[in-house]
Amino acid sequence: MASKPPSLSRNTANIHHPYQAPEGFVSPQVPIYKGSTVIFPNTAAMRERQWLDKSSYTYGLHGTPTTFTLEERLASLEGGTHCILTPSGLAAIAQVDFALLKTGDEVLIPDNAYAPNQSLASGELQNFGITHQRYDPLNLDDLAQRISSKTRLVWLEAAGSVTMEFPDLVAQVALCKTRGVLCALDNTWGAGLAFNSFDLTPGQGTEPLGVDLTIHALTKYPSGGGDVLMGSIITRSDALARTIKLSHMRLGTGVGSNDVETLLRSLSTLEMRYAAQDHHARELARWCEGQSVFAQVLHPALAQSPGHMHWQKLCVSQQYPQGRAAGIFSVVVDTRFSNAQVDAFCDALRIFKIGYSWGGPMSLVVPYQKQNIRTLPSPHLQPGTVVRFCIGFEDVADLQEDIKQAIHAVLV
Ligand SMILES: *Cc1c(COP(=O)(O)O)cnc(C)c1O
């Protein structure tokens, strides 16, 4: 160890301690580099550094080796070339809106989108003179008719939040390309695993057909712990990446390296967790189909679920003949039962906890009243209260018993 310079006080010497750990420590996990300040060897070096790519470091907000590593891994996992991290999934949605929209523009949002995406549009975006419309995710003509010369951005979600309809994503993206509007996919459900966002029809056509951007709530699957909030924006477009990066820096929405390290740690098991939760959720969803108190089970891999054919087209492949899906599904409780009874059913569950989010170790449940989450007619949904189940890592038999006892306690 190098000795401290003798002329400094112990306190100053402690801050400017010359010891440097040797290079060459190798372990499976990436080190956590933390820093708001990045130290430059001299002023010329400070002026030369630029922050728009990953070739050097300037300031913590612009990235550290730890954040760059997560960004690179997430981008390559999804087949993108650029990734920008945000403090939450919702912040990623907001960042895309703020970077791409200006007064006079319009944004189109599916009627079954993650609800805060719509709240942002009717709040801040409206205040900034940016209009929005909701479109029917299962009706391509409805989307086509709503695209106008004002439309700058179309949000896509597959499957939709809560009601789980799976849109014809290939046709929606092709439509956006034909009409010259940008499309951004909230790909939290697919997690970059269920299908190929940037090449939706692999092997067909000369140019890949893909979305312009994706956002993810890393809070869900990539974290897997129910303990971190983070989001990502991924694209293959250099121009879009630059536009978003510039806006990201102006808004100052960086992420902390400790959280990034948690994500890096979880990312290695993403594939296995996704597959296991898919498997368990499908088993339970199929069992729920046999329960007379449920008028409908909404899971895109079930033949009766709205948009099942679109799911099949996108998520079933030679490698995955059973297709891929997230570990989340909803049931519509029969109209015989009041909203209060459905609340009581959720309260009677013992293993399922009442709480938002998904992708973590613990199974969760939330009841929703359709009139609060939908504005357009949805004839493919049975009337009744919607209950969403997010499946964790518990044994399916225990989860099934739990639903069974809550049905018997409250609904029959
Ligand atoms: C949870 C979620 C988000 C937002 O993620 P946060 O990190 O909680 O802000 C966005 N989209 C979808 C589909 C989600 O489920």
Side-chain angles (χ1 to χ4, degrees), residues 122-176:
S122 50
E124 274 69 12
L125 296 190
Q126 192 166 305
N127 294 344
F128 297 157
I130 298 157
T131 57
H132 73 282
Q133 289 188 53
R134 295 190 185 199
Y135 67 88
D136 182 342
L138 290 182
N139 182 345
L140 194 66
D141 289 338
D142 182 63
L143 174 59
Q145 278 161 21
R146 290 178 199 271
I147 296 176
S148 73
S149 56
K150 285 180 68 181
T151 313
R152 166 80 174 143
L153 175 68
V154 175
W155 277 104
L156 304 163
E157 209 174 309
S161 282
V162 185
T163 44
M164 310 298 300
E165 299 96 331
F166 209 96
D168 189 347
L169 193 63
V170 174
Q172 287 179 325
V173 173
L175 174 67
C176 292

Side-chain angles (χ1 to χ4, degrees), residues 95-119:
Q95 177 61 79
V96 168
D97 282 346
F98 291 156
L100 301 181
L101 301 172
K102 62 177 189 322
T103 304
D105 288 345
E106 183 159 275
V107 55
L108 302 181
I109 302 172
D111 200 38
N112 58 357
Y114 177 65
N117 185 335
Q118 299 162 341
S119 314

Side-chain angles (χ1 to χ4, degrees), residues 88-90 93 114 157 161 186 188 215 217 219-220 229-230 358:
S88 69
L90 180 55
I93 293 172
Y114 177 65
E157 209 174 309
S161 282
D186 181 336
T188 302
I215 74 96
T219 310
K220 310 292 167 55
L229 287 153
M230 205 177 292
W358 38 297

Side-chain angles (χ1 to χ4, degrees), residues 224-243:
D227 53 357
V228 184
L229 287 153
M230 205 177 292
S232 64
I233 303 164
I234 296 173
T235 182
R236 277 188 180 177
S237 156
D238 295 344
L240 280 174
R242 188 182 161 88
T243 301

Side-chain angles (χ1 to χ4, degrees), residues 332-367:
V332 180
V333 182
D334 195 275
T335 47
R336 279 180 285 158
F337 306 104
S338 65
N339 287 328
Q341 279 174 298
V342 175
D343 283 358
F345 162 75
C346 295
D347 289 339
L349 290 164
R350 293 168 189 155
I351 299 176
F352 284 89
K353 301 299 176 203
I354 299 165
Y356 296 113
S357 202
W358 38 297
M362 209 177 263
S363 291
L364 301 171
V365 64
V366 178

Side-chain angles (χ1 to χ4, degrees), residues 74-98:
L74 290 169
S76 61
L77 180 73
E78 201 176 13
T81 48
H82 303 275
C83 173
I84 292 162
L85 299 173
T86 57
S88 69
L90 180 55
I93 293 172
Q95 177 61 79
V96 168
D97 282 346
F98 291 156

Side-chain angles (χ1 to χ4, degrees), residues 117-400:
N117 185 335
Q118 299 162 341
S119 314
L120 177 66
S122 50
E124 274 69 12
L125 296 190
Q126 192 166 305
N127 294 344
F128 297 157
I130 298 157
T131 57
H132 73 282
Q133 289 188 53
R134 295 190 185 199
Y135 67 88
D136 182 342
L138 290 182
N139 182 345
L140 194 66
D141 289 338
D142 182 63
L143 174 59
Q145 278 161 21
R146 290 178 199 271
I147 296 176
S148 73
S149 56
K150 285 180 68 181
T151 313
R152 166 80 174 143
L153 175 68
V154 175
W155 277 104
L156 304 163
E157 209 174 309
S161 282
V162 185
T163 44
M164 310 298 300
E165 299 96 331
F166 209 96
D168 189 347
L169 193 63
V170 174
Q172 287 179 325
V173 173
L175 174 67
C176 292
K177 301 277 155 185
T178 309
R179 302 287 292 272
V181 294
L182 291 171
C183 58
L185 171 71
D186 181 336
N187 199 16
T188 302
W189 183 93
L193 301 174
F195 57 88
N196 221 331
S197 350
F198 295 105
D199 190 2
L200 294 164
T201 54
Q204 297 172 31
T206 43
E207 283 273 303
L209 176 72
V211 300
D212 294 303
L213 303 151
T214 66
I215 74 96
H216 291 258
L218 304 177
T219 310
K220 310 292 167 55
Y221 278 107
S223 147
D227 53 357
V228 184
L229 287 153
M230 205 177 292
S232 64
I233 303 164
I234 296 173
T235 182
R236 277 188 180 177
S237 156
D238 295 344
L240 280 174
R242 188 182 161 88
T243 301
I244 290 171
K245 181 92 180 157
L246 286 164
S247 171
H248 186 239
M249 279 310 110
R250 290 191 290 259
L251 290 172
T253 48
V255 298
S257 289
N258 282 341
D259 285 348
V260 172
E261 188 265 352
T262 307
L263 257 299
L264 281 166
R265 196 156 194 268
S266 299
L267 210 55
S268 330
T269 56
L270 172 65
E271 168 73 45
M272 286 183 287
R273 289 185 283 107
Y274 194 83
Q277 287 178 325
D278 177 8
H279 190 74
H280 287 184
R282 280 199 225 190
E283 202 176 321
L284 265 181
R286 289 201 185 96
W287 177 81
C288 285
E289 279 190 315
Q291 307 306 306
S292 63
V293 295
F294 301 142
Q296 195 174 16
V297 179
L298 302 166
H299 184 307
L302 299 184
Q304 304 304 320
S305 198
H308 170 68
M309 275 165 50
H310 304 143
W311 170 82
Q312 243 176 347
K313 187 163 84 174
L314 207 60
C315 302
V316 175
S317 61
Q318 226 163 13
Q319 195 185 353
Y320 297 100
Q322 304 303 315
R324 308 207 80 185
I328 183 168
F329 68 95
S330 295
V331 295
V332 180
V333 182
D334 195 275
T335 47
R336 279 180 285 158
F337 306 104
S338 65
N339 287 328
Q341 279 174 298
V342 175
D343 283 358
F345 162 75
C346 295
D347 289 339
L349 290 164
R350 293 168 189 155
I351 299 176
F352 284 89
K353 301 299 176 203
I354 299 165
Y356 296 113
S357 202
W358 38 297
M362 209 177 263
S363 291
L364 301 171
V365 64
V366 178
Y368 293 90
Q369 290 169 34
K370 231 178 301 158
Q371 67 271 23
N372 296 343
I373 53 174
R374 303 300 291 263
T375 56
L376 301 176
S378 40
H380 51 274
L381 297 176
Q382 296 291 324
T385 310
V386 179
V387 173
R388 185 178 76 173
F389 294 111
C390 312
I391 307 310
F393 296 123
E394 304 94 336
D395 286 339
V396 181
D398 291 335
L399 296 175
Q400 188 175 308

